Coordinates of all heavy atoms in Angstrom, one line a residue:
V270 N 7.4 5.5 0.0 CA 7.2 6.7 0.8 C 6.3 7.6 -0.2 O 6.1 7.4 -1.3 CB 8.5 7.3 1.1 CG1 9.1 7.8 -0.1 CG2 8.3 8.7 2.1
C271 N 5.6 8.7 0.4 CA 5.2 9.6 -0.3 C 5.7 10.9 0.2 O 5.4 11.4 1.3 CB 3.6 9.8 -0.3 SG 3.0 11.3 -1.2
T272 N 6.6 11.5 -0.5 CA 7.3 12.8 0.0 C 6.5 13.9 0.0 O 6.7 14.9 0.9 CB 8.7 13.0 -0.8 OG1 8.3 13.2 -2.1 CG2 9.7 11.9 -0.5
L273 N 5.6 13.9 -0.8 CA 4.6 15.2 -0.9 C 3.6 15.2 0.2 O 3.2 16.2 0.8 CB 4.1 15.2 -2.2 CG 4.7 15.9 -3.3 CD1 3.9 15.9 -4.6 CD2 5.0 17.4 -2.9
C274 N 3.0 14.0 0.5 CA 1.8 14.0 1.4 C 1.8 12.5 2.0 O 2.7 12.2 2.9 CB 0.5 14.3 0.8 SG 0.3 13.6 -0.7
S275 N 0.8 11.8 1.6 CA 0.7 10.5 2.4 C 0.1 9.4 1.4 O -0.5 8.5 1.8 CB -0.2 10.6 3.5 OG -1.4 11.2 3.1
C276 N 0.4 9.5 0.2 CA -0.3 8.5 -1.0 C 0.3 7.2 -0.5 O 1.4 6.9 -0.2 CB 0.2 8.8 -2.2 SG -0.4 10.4 -2.8
Y277 N -0.7 6.1 -0.6 CA -0.4 4.8 0.1 C -1.4 3.9 -0.8 O -2.5 4.3 -1.1 CB -0.7 5.0 1.5 CG -0.5 3.8 2.4 CD1 0.8 3.6 2.8 CD2 -1.5 3.1 3.0 CE1 1.2 2.6 3.7 CE2 -1.2 2.1 3.9 CZ 0.0 1.8 4.2 OH 0.4 0.9 5.2
Y289 N 4.0 6.9 8.8 CA 4.2 7.0 7.2 C 3.9 8.5 6.8 O 4.6 8.9 5.8 CB 3.3 6.1 6.6 CG 3.4 5.9 5.2 CD1 4.4 5.2 4.5 CD2 2.5 6.7 4.2 CE1 4.5 5.1 3.1 CE2 2.7 6.6 2.9 CZ 3.6 5.8 2.3 OH 3.7 5.8 0.8
R295 N 9.0 11.1 5.9 CA 9.0 11.5 4.5 C 10.2 12.3 4.1 O 10.7 12.1 3.0 CB 7.7 12.4 4.4 CG 6.4 11.5 4.2 CD 5.2 12.4 4.6 NE 5.3 13.6 3.8 CZ 4.7 14.8 4.4 NH1 4.0 14.7 5.5 NH2 4.9 15.9 3.6
D323 N 8.9 6.8 -4.5 CA 8.0 7.9 -4.1 C 6.7 7.9 -4.7 O 6.6 8.1 -6.0 CB 8.8 9.2 -4.4 CG 8.3 10.5 -3.8 OD1 7.2 10.3 -3.1 OD2 8.8 11.5 -3.9
A324 N 5.7 7.7 -4.0 CA 4.3 7.6 -4.5 C 3.8 9.0 -4.9 O 4.2 10.0 -4.5 CB 3.4 7.0 -3.5
T325 N 2.7 8.9 -5.8 CA 2.0 10.2 -6.2 C 0.5 9.8 -6.2 O 0.2 8.7 -5.9 CB 2.4 10.6 -7.7 OG1 1.9 9.5 -8.5 CG2 3.9 10.8 -7.9
A326 N -0.2 10.9 -6.4 CA -1.7 10.6 -6.5 C -2.1 9.5 -7.5 O -3.0 8.7 -7.2 CB -2.4 11.9 -6.9
R329 N 0.9 4.3 -7.1 CA 1.2 3.8 -5.6 C 2.2 2.6 -5.8 O 2.2 1.9 -6.8 CB -0.1 3.2 -5.0 CG -1.2 4.3 -5.0 CD -0.8 5.4 -4.1 NE -1.6 6.7 -4.5 CZ -2.6 7.1 -3.9 NH1 -3.1 6.4 -2.8 NH2 -3.2 8.1 -4.3
Ligands
FE157 FE1 0.8 11.7 -1.1

Side-chain angles (χ1 to χ4, degrees):
V270 65
C271 176
T272 54
L273 271 183
C274 44
S275 56
C276 299
Y277 189 73
Y289 184 84
R295 285 161 38 211
D323 193 356
T325 65
R329 307 293 159 99

